[in-house]
Amino acid sequence: MAINNVMTGDFLRSAYGGESMAHMRYLIWGEDAEKKGLPNIGRLFKAVANAEWVHAKNHFNVLKDEVGDSGVCAGAVFGNTDVSSNLQGAINGELHEVNQMYPVYLETAKFQAEKDAERSFHYALEAEKIHAQLFKDAQEKAKQGQDIGTDKIYVCPVCGYTEIGDNVDKCPVCGTKKEMFESF
Ligand SMILES: [Fe+2]
Ligand SMILES: [Fe+2]
């Protein structure tokens, strides 16, 4: 894999930074939800943290031949108060990725004929759409002081596709077989 265009490279580095921070933030918020008696929302945060790690890894590996230091500027969400507010932070971050960041990054990669970056941005965009909805559903419960259900949460190790329960035999985004999925 190699990158031929500066702008796609910058977008990959920024997306790597954003996904890395989302990964860490969701682990923190997941631990917090567990401590506050909502272990299944905690599990959702941990599963989605894994998906963000998959995205960070994909972006990083598209850049694997770009050896050296770089300043990285990326969006971050801060705060750790109640679980519902943390979920709102998560929803805001995901919607920023879905409505602003990844569509622009994806079009840039297409325009610059950066096939590997295009795939990496496409995978992330599709997963973030699902994450936004999963966090919205969880927030509805949290607002009533309730936890989500105990169904297993699955994450595709190739693209970060995330689902609650057993709904598919293979990843609808990248085609990876269900038995390869991580479960939480
Ligand atoms: Fe996400
Ligand atoms: Fe996938």
Side-chain angles (χ1 to χ4, degrees), residues 40-41 43-45 47-48 130-131 133-138 148-155 161-168 178 181-182 184:
N40 295 312
I41 291 178
R43 208 159 45 80
L44 175 64
F45 272 126
V48 178
I130 297 162
H131 294 168
Q133 190 58 51
L134 293 176
F135 286 138
K136 282 180 187 172
D137 294 344
I148 59 170
T150 55
D151 286 349
K152 270 190 182 171
I153 306 170
Y154 296 95
V155 177
Y161 167 81
T162 308
E163 69 167 359
I164 297 181
D166 290 275
N167 309 303
V168 297
K178 178 71 172 263
F181 283 19
E182 293 269 357
F184 295 84

Side-chain angles (χ1 to χ4, degrees), residues 19 22 26 48 51-52 55 94 97 124 127-128 131-132 135:
E19 296 288 359
Y26 292 165
V48 178
E52 312 307 9
H55 297 156
E94 299 289 346
E97 289 178 311
E128 313 307 8
H131 294 168
F135 286 138

Side-chain angles (χ1 to χ4, degrees), residues 21-67:
M21 288 190 281
H23 169 82
M24 187 61 67
R25 188 164 66 242
Y26 292 165
L27 291 180
I28 294 166
W29 285 342
E31 184 184 65
D32 184 75
E34 252 174 49
K35 281 182 185 162
K36 288 175 175 160
L38 299 169
N40 295 312
I41 291 178
R43 208 159 45 80
L44 175 64
F45 272 126
K46 286 182 180 174
V48 178
N50 181 270
E52 312 307 9
W53 171 74
V54 170
H55 297 156
K57 185 170 59 171
N58 286 344
H59 301 330
F60 190 87
N61 282 333
V62 176
L63 292 162
K64 70 186 178 64
D65 294 324
E66 307 283 310
V67 179

Side-chain angles (χ1 to χ4, degrees), residues 4 54 66 72 82 96 110 122 143 157 160 164 169 174:
N4 298 308
V54 170
E66 307 283 310
V72 172
D82 57 285
H96 172 74
K110 283 182 188 169
H122 165 66
K143 278 180 178 169
I164 297 181
D169 298 328
C174 76

Side-chain angles (χ1 to χ4, degrees), residues 123 155-162 170-177 181:
Y123 283 171
V155 177
C156 174
V158 173
C159 75
Y161 167 81
T162 308
K170 62 184 171 76
C171 179
V173 177
C174 76
T176 296
K177 285 184 185 156
F181 283 19

